[in-house]
């Protein structure tokens, strides 16, 4: 698996703990608010549709979702969050993208610098890392819900360009243009399939030993910041070592 997929797998394992702290709800509601602010009504707003669906999949109350949409569209007062993407380097020269939703850039960048300096990382200049990543769509499907051949046929017909084995689930991958039709086709068959938009790295950097251990601690520390929505990195750690370090 790519570094993106491996990190996504680790994040799924810690999601239950985050949910107990209410952190998942907070992140999803911020995303809904900003998506509504930037893209308008849900009918023509793919980002908002994806955010609302993600929120419903983890049982965020409908009233909370509606309020977040109203705050984003200016119908209710609330903090004014903005999208800010920061670029950084981690141990071993790994490129890191940190997507944030913040109402205070100075606070956010200060927290990021502090964590990076404690874990062998550093901030990077504009596009020093971003050029390594391309925004892609994906739809995750549990393997027990559909046979591989059936999913492959369904996804390809809708416009998908790849099907990735992620252990306990399939990941249907697509470019941005085909994301909506692919998502609609897959979710018409598997209602609880999880759709998302995320940057995917074109190349990966092998990381081992102490660098691998420090990198995972860095990514987790970044991910735990309140202003951080998602963290992406172009690392590649051997499967056995990854299992040992993330256990």
């Amino acid at each position: 698996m790519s570094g993106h997929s491996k990190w996504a797998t680790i994040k799924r394992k810690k999601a239950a703990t985050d949910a107990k702290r209410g952190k998942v709800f907070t992140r999803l509601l911020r995303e809904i608010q900003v998506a509504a602010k930037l893209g308008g009504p849900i009918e023509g707003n793919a980002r908002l549709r994806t955010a609302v669906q993600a929120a419903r999949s983890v049982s965020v109350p409908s009233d909370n979702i509606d309020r977040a949409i109203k705050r984003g569209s200016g119908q209710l007062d609330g903090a004014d969050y903005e999208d800010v993407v920061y670029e950084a380097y981690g141990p071993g020269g790994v490129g890191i993208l940190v997507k944030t939703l913040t109402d205070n850039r100075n606070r956010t960048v200060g927290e990021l610098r502090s964590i990076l300096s404690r874990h062998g990382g550093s901030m990077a200049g504009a596009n020093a890392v971003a050029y390594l990543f391309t925004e892609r769509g994906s739809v995750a499907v549990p393997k027990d819900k559909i046979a591989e051949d059936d999913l492959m046929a369904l996804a390809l017909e809708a416009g998908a360009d790849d099907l990735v084995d992620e252990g306990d689930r399939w990941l249907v991958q697509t470019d941005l243009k085909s994301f909506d039709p692919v998502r609609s086709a897959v979710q018409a068959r598997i209602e609880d399939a999880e759709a998302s938009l995320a940057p995917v790295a074109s190349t990966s950097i092998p990381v081992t030993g102490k660098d691998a251990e420090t990198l995972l601690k860095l990514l987790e520390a970044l991910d735990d910041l309140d202003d951080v929505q998602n963290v992406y990195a172009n690392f590649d750690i051997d499967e056995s070592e990854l299992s040992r370090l993330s256990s």
Side-chain angles (χ1 to χ4, degrees):
M1 284 188 286
S2 66
H4 165 72
S5 297
K6 288 177 177 177
W7 176 235
T9 300
I10 293 170
K11 286 184 65 176
R12 290 207 313 274
K13 291 179 179 178
K14 68 191 283 288
T17 301
D18 285 345
K20 291 176 183 177
R21 297 200 304 260
K23 190 165 190 176
V24 168
F25 281 21
T26 299
R27 285 183 172 178
L28 290 169
L29 290 170
R30 279 192 188 184
E31 170 65 13
I32 288 170
Q33 180 177 333
V34 172
K37 172 186 173 183
L38 297 177
I42 194 167
E43 292 78 12
N45 189 336
R47 178 174 174 178
L48 180 55
R49 287 198 301 274
T50 300
V52 168
Q53 189 169 60
R56 288 174 175 163
S57 72
V58 293
S59 302
V60 176
S62 295
D63 287 349
N64 294 23
I65 293 172
D66 291 341
R67 282 195 295 272
I69 293 174
K70 288 178 179 178
R71 282 194 294 270
S73 60
Q75 299 175 63
L76 291 176
D77 291 334
D80 187 16
Y81 295 109
E82 61 176 327
D83 271 313
V84 187
V85 179
Y86 295 95
E87 302 176 46
Y89 294 114
V94 168
I96 301 171
L97 288 183
V98 185
K99 287 197 170 186
T100 70
L101 291 178
T102 178
D103 58 352
N104 186 326
R105 289 192 182 210
N106 290 335
R107 178 193 66 228
T108 302
V109 74
E111 292 175 341
L112 291 176
R113 288 186 189 279
S114 177
I115 287 176
L116 285 163
S117 67
R118 294 201 306 269
H119 294 84
S122 62
M123 297 294 288
N127 208 38
V129 171
Y131 80 94
L132 297 169
F133 293 81
T134 301
E135 197 80 6
R136 301 268 291 160
S138 66
V139 186
V141 181
K143 284 188 174 180
D144 60 358
K145 295 297 181 70
I146 187 171
E148 178 182 6
D149 289 345
D150 291 342
L151 179 59
M152 177 72 81
L154 174 67
L156 291 178
E157 184 176 352
D161 52 32
D162 200 6
L163 183 64
V164 178
D165 186 341
E166 282 203 329
D168 61 341
R169 65 181 194 169
W170 301 112
L171 195 67
V172 179
Q173 295 187 330
T174 175
D175 60 24
L176 295 186
K177 181 180 179 181
S178 302
F179 176 62
D180 262 351
V182 170
R183 175 181 60 179
S184 297
V186 174
Q187 290 179 338
R189 179 81 173 269
I190 302 99
E191 188 175 347
D192 59 350
E194 298 176 14
S196 62
L197 294 167
V200 176
S202 56
T203 60
S204 59
I205 296 176
V207 187
T208 60
K210 185 64 177 177
D211 279 349
E213 181 178 356
T214 305
L215 175 65
L216 291 183
K217 289 179 179 178
L218 168 60
L219 296 177
E220 290 188 12
L222 291 172
D223 191 61
D224 280 340
L225 285 176
D226 288 341
D227 292 339
V228 170
Q229 289 291 102
N230 282 296
V231 181
Y232 307 95
N234 69 332
F235 69 92
D236 186 26
I237 299 176
D238 179 80
E239 204 68 47
S240 60
E241 186 168 20
L242 183 69
S243 297
R244 177 181 64 81
L245 292 173
S246 60
S247 61

